[in-house]
Amino acid sequence: MSKRAYNFNPGPAALPLEVLQKAQETFVDYNGIGMSLTEISHRSKEYEALNRETQELMLELLGLSSGYQVLFLGSGASMQFSMIPLNFLKPGKVGSYLVTGSFSEKAYQDARIVGEAVIAASNKETNWRSLPKAGEIRIDPNSAYVHMTTNNTIEGSQWSDIPETGDIPLIGDMTSGILSRPIDAHKFAMIYAGAQKNLGPAGVTVAVIRDDLLQEEPKHVPVMLRYTTHAKNQSLYNTPPVHSIYVVNLMLKWVKENGGVEAMEKQNVAKTKLLYDVIDASGGFYTGNIAPDSRSIMNVTFRLPSEELEKAFVKESEKNNFVGLAGHRSVGGIRASAYNAVPYEACAALAEFMVDFQKRNG
């Protein structure tokens, strides 16, 4: 096998080698049934067992024992930006949004197409640098729900504390941070995440929804866009992305076998500290995009003194086996996405490269 790249891609992102190898072993013949999972019927007893086990694993790792449904949906996390207001934003109510980055802003804009949406807090005027404090959040008491993005993938910020919303349901887009650190999942009425960053391959979105949100079926919404449709049918109303869900199953087992979410957080903090320490000690050669109290342990973003140096940094990094370090096209700069599956050694190597690059170019 050729040497594995230091994969800092923002999504699709790194997967553990053990997970890839297990998926490879079972690709042609799954559990001795003489077929691949890519060929198997989603109505078969083998897949139904896998589907159920994956749902149970997700609830277990989130610390939820009952009262929630786990759904496997298509069309990515961005589809939830419209599905959420379609399902939950009733006439006479407003959707309240914490706008703290590009994706939460897109969610807000989609909600405005469906119904009335308001911004409960935003840090856009400060270029997303520091997340709003509790006292800066103004939630309309007439809110159908409050929506937040717990980790901002593009900007590189992360909520350290989950806001209190009282009796108003809290909905969290956790696409780039799910299972990276312990959270009190009971604070959320709904959690959703595209799999391609921390849960597995692209092709499936996981939604965890509290039962009370599924009591009313929105008849005005097309059948496939109703959460109740998927909940009633255990995510088997139509053909699900079977193999993607299988890899999610393997990822959840990998997290559990490697110490659970608590161990993931400890590793993630240690990994990103290597990079933040280099940034903070660089004397301004590297400038972090986010204030220290809002920094993400998933996406480390920073700038260099010039765009020319940034291009040189990316070009040299690629020659040194690093992949995916260019910042998002909308903001530029550098971004290292250090999801659960990115090993400590990759971050240590990147920190060493950053120090050397500064010595030669500072």
Side-chain angles (χ1 to χ4, degrees):
M1 180 186 291
S2 59
K3 183 181 178 183
R4 299 278 293 164
Y6 295 129
N7 185 357
F8 289 97
N9 272 316
L15 289 169
L17 184 58
E18 307 97 290
V19 167
L20 293 171
Q21 289 172 334
K22 180 65 175 177
Q24 181 185 45
E25 289 169 12
T26 56
F27 187 77
V28 174
D29 188 348
Y30 177 71
N31 287 358
I33 63 174
M35 288 185 292
S36 166
L37 267 174
T38 58
E39 305 171 279
I40 197 173
S41 168
H42 64 293
R43 307 293 182 191
S44 66
K45 68 179 188 300
E46 290 86 2
Y47 179 71
E48 287 190 355
L50 173 71
N51 189 65
R52 183 171 57 253
E53 181 186 58
T54 310
Q55 292 169 336
E56 291 170 353
L57 280 166
M58 178 60 65
L59 290 175
E60 178 185 347
L61 288 170
L62 285 172
L64 298 171
S65 55
S66 61
Y68 287 79
Q69 299 273 347
V70 177
L71 311 181
F72 300 127
L73 308 169
S75 301
S78 294
M79 175 62 85
Q80 311 316 304
F81 298 167
S82 55
M83 280 185 71
I84 288 165
L86 282 170
N87 282 265
F88 305 133
L89 186 50
K90 298 175 182 177
K93 290 284 189 177
V94 300
S96 287
Y97 283 76
L98 304 179
V99 178
T100 56
S102 301
F103 287 115
S104 57
E105 187 171 43
K106 287 180 179 179
Y108 164 68
Q109 295 295 352
D110 266 10
R112 293 181 66 200
I113 295 171
V114 175
E116 186 178 353
V118 297
I119 296 175
S122 176
N123 58 340
K124 187 174 183 178
E125 289 186 0
T126 59
N127 202 29
W128 315 116
R129 181 165 173 78
S130 186
L131 290 171
K133 304 297 186 288
E136 299 169 338
I137 299 172
R138 300 285 182 266
I139 298 174
D140 190 315
N142 195 39
S143 298
Y145 59 82
V146 177
H147 179 282
M148 70 180 302
T149 303
T150 57
N151 185 90
N152 296 287
T153 320
I154 293 174
E155 294 75 21
S157 63
Q158 179 184 62
W159 289 85
S160 56
D161 297 314
I162 304 302
E164 298 292 340
T165 60
D167 294 332
I168 299 171
L170 178 61
I171 297 175
D173 177 356
M174 295 190 186
T175 296
S176 58
I178 194 166
L179 303 184
S180 66
R181 58 182 177 138
I183 59 158
D184 183 0
H186 292 94
K187 285 188 173 183
F188 292 87
M190 175 178 174
I191 290 166
Y192 67 96
Q196 71 276 8
K197 299 180 186 297
N198 236 16
L199 290 178
V204 61
T205 296
V206 176
V208 183
I209 307 180
R210 202 170 63 203
D211 289 344
D212 60 283
L213 264 64
L214 298 167
Q215 289 178 355
E216 294 184 34
E217 188 163 34
K219 301 291 187 182
H220 65 287
V221 176
V223 173
M224 274 297 291
L225 296 178
R226 300 176 195 170
Y227 291 118
T228 51
T229 298
H230 302 283
K232 288 178 180 177
N233 293 276
Q234 294 295 303
S235 299
L236 297 171
Y237 180 78
N238 67 321
T239 307
V242 172
H243 200 266
S244 291
I245 293 169
Y246 170 57
V247 181
V248 170
N249 179 280
L250 296 179
M251 276 296 295
L252 297 178
K253 288 177 177 175
W254 178 83
V255 170
K256 185 176 179 179
E257 291 163 2
N258 284 276
V261 180
E262 292 79 6
M264 293 295 113
E265 180 184 42
K266 184 177 180 181
Q267 178 85 339
N268 291 329
V269 169
K271 290 185 317 194
T272 50
K273 185 177 186 299
L274 293 171
L275 306 182
Y276 287 127
D277 282 352
V278 173
I279 293 169
D280 293 340
S282 71
F285 183 79
Y286 299 113
T287 305
N289 295 351
I290 300 299
D293 65 349
S294 298
R295 283 172 169 173
S296 169
I297 58 169
M298 292 283 93
N299 310 99
V300 178
T301 58
F302 56 95
R303 303 300 301 250
L304 278 74
S306 68
E307 288 189 15
E308 289 73 23
L309 272 176
E310 289 171 352
K311 290 176 182 177
F313 181 95
V314 172
K315 189 173 182 180
E316 278 198 41
S317 74
E318 291 170 348
K319 292 178 180 178
N320 284 273
N321 207 35
F322 296 99
V323 176
L325 288 173
H328 191 272
R329 61 185 179 277
S330 65
V331 296
I334 308 296
R335 172 175 55 173
S337 296
Y339 300 124
N340 284 353
V342 175
Y344 182 89
E345 293 72 23
C347 289
L350 177 55
E352 185 178 340
F353 172 78
M354 289 169 67
V355 170
D356 179 64
F357 187 88
Q358 181 180 357
K359 284 179 180 177
R360 292 182 287 105
N361 296 277

Short mmCIF file of all heavy atoms in Angstrom, two decimals, residues 16 71 80-81 84 86 88 90 94 118 139 148 151 154 186 199 216 238 256 258 281 291 295 299 314 318 331 342 348:
data_model
loop_
_atom_site.label_atom_id
_atom_site.label_comp_id
_atom_site.label_asym_id
_atom_site.label_seq_id
_atom_site.Cartn_x
_atom_site.Cartn_y
_atom_site.Cartn_z
N PRO A 16 -11.13 6.50 9.13
CA PRO A 16 -10.07 5.66 9.73
C PRO A 16 -9.71 4.51 8.80
O PRO A 16 -10.58 3.92 8.14
CB PRO A 16 -10.73 5.14 11.01
CG PRO A 16 -11.87 6.05 11.28
CD PRO A 16 -12.35 6.51 9.95
N LEU A 71 -33.23 9.14 11.91
CA LEU A 71 -33.61 9.01 10.50
C LEU A 71 -32.38 9.09 9.62
O LEU A 71 -31.43 9.81 9.91
CB LEU A 71 -34.57 10.14 10.10
CG LEU A 71 -35.78 10.41 11.01
CD1 LEU A 71 -36.62 11.53 10.43
CD2 LEU A 71 -36.61 9.15 11.19
N GLN A 80 -32.01 20.02 4.77
CA GLN A 80 -32.71 20.29 6.03
C GLN A 80 -33.00 21.78 6.20
O GLN A 80 -33.91 22.15 6.95
CB GLN A 80 -31.90 19.77 7.22
CG GLN A 80 -31.40 18.34 7.09
CD GLN A 80 -32.43 17.38 6.54
OE1 GLN A 80 -33.52 17.26 7.09
NE2 GLN A 80 -32.09 16.70 5.46
N PHE A 81 -32.25 22.63 5.51
CA PHE A 81 -32.48 24.07 5.62
C PHE A 81 -33.91 24.42 5.20
O PHE A 81 -34.52 25.35 5.76
CB PHE A 81 -31.51 24.86 4.75
CG PHE A 81 -30.05 24.69 5.11
CD1 PHE A 81 -29.05 25.13 4.24
CD2 PHE A 81 -29.67 24.10 6.30
CE1 PHE A 81 -27.71 24.98 4.56
CE2 PHE A 81 -28.33 23.95 6.64
CZ PHE A 81 -27.34 24.38 5.76
N ILE A 84 -36.79 21.75 7.50
CA ILE A 84 -37.10 22.17 8.87
C ILE A 84 -38.25 23.19 8.89
O ILE A 84 -39.25 22.97 9.58
CB ILE A 84 -35.84 22.69 9.58
CG1 ILE A 84 -34.91 21.51 9.91
CG2 ILE A 84 -36.20 23.46 10.85
CD1 ILE A 84 -33.50 21.91 10.27
N LEU A 86 -40.40 23.80 6.50
CA LEU A 86 -41.57 23.18 5.89
C LEU A 86 -42.34 22.32 6.89
O LEU A 86 -43.56 22.29 6.89
CB LEU A 86 -41.14 22.31 4.69
CG LEU A 86 -40.81 23.04 3.39
CD1 LEU A 86 -40.17 22.08 2.39
CD2 LEU A 86 -42.08 23.67 2.79
N PHE A 88 -41.92 22.44 10.46
CA PHE A 88 -42.13 22.96 11.82
C PHE A 88 -42.53 24.42 11.91
O PHE A 88 -42.96 24.87 12.97
CB PHE A 88 -40.85 22.75 12.65
CG PHE A 88 -40.36 21.33 12.68
CD1 PHE A 88 -39.01 21.04 12.46
CD2 PHE A 88 -41.23 20.28 12.91
CE1 PHE A 88 -38.54 19.73 12.49
CE2 PHE A 88 -40.77 18.97 12.95
CZ PHE A 88 -39.44 18.69 12.73
N LYS A 90 -45.01 26.86 11.50
CA LYS A 90 -46.45 27.00 11.26
C LYS A 90 -46.82 28.46 11.07
O LYS A 90 -46.14 29.37 11.54
CB LYS A 90 -47.22 26.41 12.44
CG LYS A 90 -46.98 24.92 12.64
CD LYS A 90 -47.67 24.43 13.89
CE LYS A 90 -47.38 22.95 14.12
NZ LYS A 90 -48.00 22.45 15.39
N VAL A 94 -42.65 32.16 14.13
CA VAL A 94 -41.42 32.56 13.45
C VAL A 94 -40.33 31.51 13.72
O VAL A 94 -40.36 30.82 14.75
CB VAL A 94 -40.92 33.95 13.91
CG1 VAL A 94 -41.95 35.00 13.63
CG2 VAL A 94 -40.54 33.93 15.37
N VAL A 118 -36.48 35.08 11.71
CA VAL A 118 -35.79 36.23 12.30
C VAL A 118 -34.41 35.80 12.79
O VAL A 118 -34.17 34.62 13.05
CB VAL A 118 -36.60 36.83 13.48
CG1 VAL A 118 -37.93 37.36 12.99
CG2 VAL A 118 -36.80 35.80 14.58
N ILE A 139 -34.33 35.77 21.65
CA ILE A 139 -35.23 34.78 21.05
C ILE A 139 -36.67 35.28 21.12
O ILE A 139 -37.18 35.59 22.20
CB ILE A 139 -35.10 33.42 21.77
CG1 ILE A 139 -33.67 32.88 21.62
CG2 ILE A 139 -36.10 32.42 21.20
CD1 ILE A 139 -33.40 31.61 22.41
N MET A 148 -29.49 26.55 15.24
CA MET A 148 -28.09 26.94 15.38
C MET A 148 -27.20 25.95 14.64
O MET A 148 -27.57 24.79 14.42
CB MET A 148 -27.68 26.99 16.85
CG MET A 148 -27.60 25.63 17.53
SD MET A 148 -27.11 25.72 19.28
CE MET A 148 -25.52 26.55 19.18
N ASN A 151 -20.95 23.99 14.97
CA ASN A 151 -19.56 24.17 14.52
C ASN A 151 -19.60 24.73 13.12
O ASN A 151 -20.25 24.16 12.23
CB ASN A 151 -18.81 22.83 14.53
CG ASN A 151 -17.34 22.99 14.19
OD1 ASN A 151 -16.50 23.19 15.06
ND2 ASN A 151 -17.00 22.89 12.90
N ILE A 154 -16.68 26.48 7.62
CA ILE A 154 -15.92 27.38 6.76
C ILE A 154 -15.11 28.38 7.58
O ILE A 154 -13.92 28.61 7.33
CB ILE A 154 -16.86 28.11 5.78
CG1 ILE A 154 -17.47 27.10 4.78
CG2 ILE A 154 -16.12 29.22 5.02
CD1 ILE A 154 -18.51 27.70 3.86
N HIS A 186 -29.96 16.16 25.08
CA HIS A 186 -31.34 16.38 25.51
C HIS A 186 -31.77 17.84 25.37
O HIS A 186 -32.96 18.14 25.40
CB HIS A 186 -31.52 15.92 26.97
CG HIS A 186 -31.42 14.44 27.16
ND1 HIS A 186 -30.23 13.83 27.51
CD2 HIS A 186 -32.33 13.45 27.01
CE1 HIS A 186 -30.43 12.52 27.59
NE2 HIS A 186 -31.68 12.26 27.29
N LEU A 199 -18.98 11.34 10.20
CA LEU A 199 -19.77 10.12 10.38
C LEU A 199 -19.55 9.06 9.31
O LEU A 199 -19.94 7.91 9.50
CB LEU A 199 -21.27 10.45 10.42
CG LEU A 199 -21.79 11.21 11.64
CD1 LEU A 199 -23.27 11.50 11.46
CD2 LEU A 199 -21.56 10.40 12.91
N GLU A 216 -47.43 15.67 14.75
CA GLU A 216 -48.32 16.22 13.73
C GLU A 216 -47.70 16.03 12.34
O GLU A 216 -46.54 16.37 12.12
CB GLU A 216 -48.56 17.70 13.97
CG GLU A 216 -49.34 18.00 15.24
CD GLU A 216 -49.64 19.48 15.39
OE1 GLU A 216 -49.84 20.15 14.36
OE2 GLU A 216 -49.63 19.97 16.53
N ASN A 238 -38.33 4.86 1.03
CA ASN A 238 -37.74 4.64 -0.30
C ASN A 238 -36.38 3.99 -0.09
O ASN A 238 -35.97 3.73 1.03
CB ASN A 238 -37.61 5.96 -1.07
CG ASN A 238 -36.59 6.89 -0.44
OD1 ASN A 238 -36.51 6.98 0.79
ND2 ASN A 238 -35.81 7.58 -1.26
N LYS A 256 -16.96 4.13 19.36
CA LYS A 256 -17.24 3.41 20.61
C LYS A 256 -16.03 2.59 21.07
O LYS A 256 -15.66 2.61 22.25
CB LYS A 256 -18.45 2.51 20.42
CG LYS A 256 -18.92 1.80 21.67
CD LYS A 256 -20.19 1.00 21.42
CE LYS A 256 -20.63 0.26 22.67
NZ LYS A 256 -21.90 -0.51 22.45
N ASN A 258 -12.97 3.10 20.45
CA ASN A 258 -11.82 3.94 20.75
C ASN A 258 -12.09 4.91 21.90
O ASN A 258 -11.49 5.98 21.97
CB ASN A 258 -11.37 4.68 19.49
CG ASN A 258 -10.61 3.79 18.54
OD1 ASN A 258 -9.40 3.60 18.68
ND2 ASN A 258 -11.31 3.20 17.57
N ALA A 281 2.25 31.42 18.38
CA ALA A 281 3.67 31.69 18.63
C ALA A 281 4.39 32.25 17.41
O ALA A 281 5.60 32.47 17.45
CB ALA A 281 4.37 30.41 19.09
N ALA A 291 -11.49 34.29 17.18
CA ALA A 291 -11.04 34.62 18.53
C ALA A 291 -10.82 33.34 19.34
O ALA A 291 -11.57 32.37 19.16
CB ALA A 291 -12.06 35.51 19.22
N ARG A 295 -12.78 29.29 19.06
CA ARG A 295 -12.10 28.40 18.10
C ARG A 295 -12.69 26.99 18.07
O ARG A 295 -13.08 26.44 19.08
CB ARG A 295 -10.62 28.30 18.47
CG ARG A 295 -9.81 29.52 18.07
CD ARG A 295 -8.40 29.43 18.63
NE ARG A 295 -7.52 30.44 18.07
CZ ARG A 295 -6.29 30.66 18.48
NH1 ARG A 295 -5.78 29.95 19.48
NH2 ARG A 295 -5.55 31.60 17.91
N ASN A 299 -12.14 22.52 12.75
CA ASN A 299 -11.67 23.27 11.58
C ASN A 299 -10.80 24.43 12.02
O ASN A 299 -11.29 25.39 12.62
CB ASN A 299 -12.86 23.80 10.77
CG ASN A 299 -13.89 22.73 10.46
OD1 ASN A 299 -14.91 22.65 11.15
ND2 ASN A 299 -13.64 21.91 9.47
N VAL A 314 0.12 26.31 0.27
CA VAL A 314 -0.69 25.18 -0.21
C VAL A 314 0.09 24.33 -1.20
O VAL A 314 0.08 23.09 -1.12
CB VAL A 314 -2.00 25.69 -0.85
CG1 VAL A 314 -2.75 24.56 -1.53
CG2 VAL A 314 -2.88 26.36 0.20
N GLU A 318 1.20 20.34 -0.55
CA GLU A 318 0.81 19.22 -1.41
C GLU A 318 2.01 18.37 -1.78
O GLU A 318 1.91 17.14 -1.89
CB GLU A 318 0.10 19.75 -2.65
CG GLU A 318 -1.28 20.34 -2.33
CD GLU A 318 -1.90 21.09 -3.49
OE1 GLU A 318 -1.17 21.36 -4.50
OE2 GLU A 318 -3.09 21.43 -3.41
N VAL A 331 -13.76 32.40 1.20
CA VAL A 331 -13.01 33.19 2.18
C VAL A 331 -11.50 33.15 1.99
O VAL A 331 -10.78 34.01 2.48
CB VAL A 331 -13.34 32.74 3.63
CG1 VAL A 331 -14.81 33.00 3.95
CG2 VAL A 331 -13.00 31.28 3.85
N VAL A 342 -8.92 12.08 11.64
CA VAL A 342 -7.59 12.60 11.34
C VAL A 342 -6.67 12.27 12.51
O VAL A 342 -6.93 12.69 13.65
CB VAL A 342 -7.62 14.12 11.10
CG1 VAL A 342 -6.21 14.68 10.92
CG2 VAL A 342 -8.49 14.45 9.89
N ALA A 348 0.59 16.71 13.99
CA ALA A 348 1.98 16.95 14.41
C ALA A 348 2.85 17.25 13.20
O ALA A 348 3.71 18.16 13.23
CB ALA A 348 2.51 15.74 15.17
#
